[in-house]
Amino acid sequence: MVATNSAHAEGSSTHSTAHWVHTWTAMPQLTEPANLPPAPFTGTGSVLVDTTLRQTLRITTGGRTLRLRFSNAYGDTPLPLTAVTVALPVDGKPGASAIVPGSGRPVTFAGRASATVPVGAQLVSDPVDLDLPAASVLTVTTYLAAGQPSLALTSHPGSRTTSYLRTGDHTKDEDLPGATPVDHWYLLSDVEVLAPRDTTAVAILGDSLTDGRGSTTNANDRWPDQLYDRLRAHPATAAVSILNQAAGGNRVLNDGLGPNVLARLDRDVLTRSGVTRLIVFEGVNDIGTAEATPAAQHRLAEDLLAAYDQIVVRAHAQGIRVYGATLLPFGGNTYDDPAGERESCRQVVNTWIRTSGHFDAVLDFDRAVRDPADPRRLLESLQVGDWLHLNPKGYGVLAATVPAGLLR
């Protein structure tokens, strides 16, 4: 018979009334050269050598026991983690370098303080006891003595949150004076909490509009953040976790900044703990990067619709309901071609999303933010100036468009 820790054993009373649910995610990407840590934290053939990395992130649903997932999805060498701690940031603020005294907890992996993430793999930590109320901010501090002996670093550049780098092991320090700030997340891809059985998660597949381009650094005002703030204010939806699985430049059909949606669906949605619903809000980059000819855009529309059908079929096989969001207008942006071929494709795609019946529900984001006087364009007051991305007010409109009843 194998002995188990009674506090976390699958057969214990704790697990009979609770289960693991993802509460925060950041889609892993290969770090582009411009997004690597600044000198001296990136060398000619290694990165984060003798470096402490302190990161903050806002969880969604809360819990008293958590575990972390570190990703080496794009590494071509093993990733050695020397020491990891979790804590609460001072004043609960995202982007804070200081932690609340006494809140720090060591993180272990199979009982060991150090661990190595194999090439292409992820590593799940042991459970850590730390009281995390819903919508609270968590600080994760990681020290890498040897660093990663390669520049193939896994990260999520579009963090819209400030992290900190400092030479030496400062995982237990209450603050990091003189640390170098960077607005990126590195290495960390997921946080799970042990939550009541009625807690479920909603995953969102998206691009820069969901990743939050145009939102406010350290303010957590992307549309998924604002949606979560709405949900947690009401008892019927308070036990819903929101998982933002988006990246700027991402596409449904072809790789770009990160793998295409069809390639990453299993990794980013189907294997995430507690996911029962999926929102698909992606495709504008496929349209905007395809040749602006009738033949190319017609072929793209057919391929996109077939891809959406594949997403629905694969998610339904796992018991996950799928909600399709219409694509936003881009009139005035560089995607907008003079002949309107890409706009015609967008209209075909949106009509299919609205009327085909393939999705379990439709979120008409296009109708919510377009200019009624010129439906090919966004409302000027809701966009950031490039006629493609929204400002925090615009993201609030998207959040308000999602019926809470779909997420109960």
Side-chain angles (χ1 to χ4, degrees):
M1 179 178 292
V2 178
T4 56
N5 183 319
S6 61
H8 303 295
E10 286 297 334
S12 70
S13 59
T14 298
H15 279 269
S16 67
T17 58
H19 65 155
W20 289 105
V21 176
H22 271 74
T23 184
W24 175 87
T25 54
M27 176 190 146
Q29 297 172 243
L30 175 64
T31 310
E32 298 176 288
N35 293 323
L36 284 167
F41 305 103
T42 295
T44 56
S46 60
V47 63
L48 299 177
V49 175
D50 188 28
T51 298
T52 292
L53 165 65
R54 178 162 288 178
Q55 307 179 91
T56 62
L57 48 100
R58 190 179 84 144
I59 66 161
T60 52
T61 193
R64 295 183 176 178
T65 303
L66 65 93
R67 60 189 185 190
L68 309 177
R69 295 193 184 206
F70 287 86
S71 176
N72 195 19
Y74 299 100
D76 54 15
T77 60
L79 171 65
L81 307 175
T82 309
V84 180
T85 60
V86 292
L88 302 176
V90 166
D91 297 326
K93 291 183 177 179
S97 64
I99 61 173
V100 174
S103 68
R105 304 284 188 276
V107 177
T108 58
F109 304 86
R112 299 174 296 174
S114 300
T116 298
V117 190
V119 172
Q122 67 172 214
L123 195 65
V124 183
S125 77
D126 297 332
V128 180
D129 292 330
L130 182 67
D131 193 4
L132 283 176
S136 59
V137 178
L138 175 69
T139 298
V140 180
T141 308
T142 307
Y143 174 62
L144 299 88
Q148 185 152 18
S150 163
L151 299 186
L153 184 68
T154 301
S155 70
H156 188 87
S159 65
R160 275 86 200 181
T161 306
T162 304
S163 303
Y164 297 89
L165 300 164
R166 190 176 178 192
T167 301
D169 183 357
H170 302 280
T171 50
K172 298 179 181 179
D173 291 8
E174 291 180 2
D175 203 354
L176 301 180
T180 300
V182 289
D183 289 342
H184 307 300
W185 285 315
Y186 298 108
L187 313 180
L188 191 65
S189 62
D190 309 80
V191 178
E192 296 170 279
V193 292
L194 200 58
R197 283 288 175 186
D198 62 350
T199 304
T200 58
V202 178
I204 304 171
L205 286 172
D207 48 37
S208 56
L209 285 159
T210 300
D211 202 30
R213 182 170 176 178
S215 63
T216 311
T217 298
N218 295 321
N220 291 302
D221 53 16
R222 313 165 190 84
W223 77 262
D225 300 314
Q226 297 192 55
L227 172 61
Y228 178 70
D229 288 336
R230 264 186 62 215
L231 297 178
R232 72 186 182 93
H234 301 283
T237 52
V240 175
S241 177
I242 297 292
L243 308 180
N244 189 335
Q245 294 287 41
N250 197 240
R251 291 182 285 181
V252 175
L253 299 169
N254 296 303
D255 291 354
L257 296 181
N260 65 80
V261 165
L262 293 180
R264 69 185 181 93
L265 182 65
D266 290 270
R267 182 194 73 180
D268 293 347
V269 177
L270 304 185
T271 60
R272 302 302 85 184
S273 307
V275 173
T276 59
R277 284 142 297 179
L278 167 63
I279 295 173
V280 180
F281 178 38
E282 192 158 359
V284 71
N285 289 324
D286 296 79
I287 295 172
T289 56
E291 191 178 359
T293 65
Q297 290 296 316
H298 176 75
R299 183 169 56 252
L300 176 69
E302 290 186 334
D303 290 346
L304 264 181
L305 304 188
Y308 292 145
D309 184 60
Q310 279 288 301
I311 293 168
V312 171
V313 168
R314 289 165 62 185
H316 280 177
Q318 301 298 319
I320 297 172
R321 294 177 63 82
V322 187
Y323 307 145
T326 52
L327 305 181
L328 305 192
F330 45 75
N333 183 262
T334 55
Y335 282 175
D336 186 19
D337 62 287
E341 298 297 344
R342 293 186 178 121
E343 171 62 15
S344 295
C345 179
R346 186 182 74 89
Q347 292 293 347
V348 169
V349 170
N350 279 353
T351 297
W352 186 90
I353 291 172
R354 292 185 179 109
T355 64
S356 70
H358 279 66
F359 290 107
D360 295 298
V362 173
L363 310 176
D364 205 340
F365 285 175
D366 167 42
R367 188 182 301 276
V369 297
R370 71 191 182 197
D371 186 345
D374 187 0
R376 296 175 66 256
R377 288 177 176 253
L378 296 166
L379 274 169
E380 185 170 10
S381 63
L382 302 182
Q383 57 94 30
V384 294
D386 66 0
W387 296 99
L388 179 63
H389 298 97
L390 302 177
N391 55 31
K393 179 181 177 182
Y395 287 132
V397 173
L398 294 189
T401 302
V402 181
L406 292 177
L407 306 182
R408 287 176 183 162

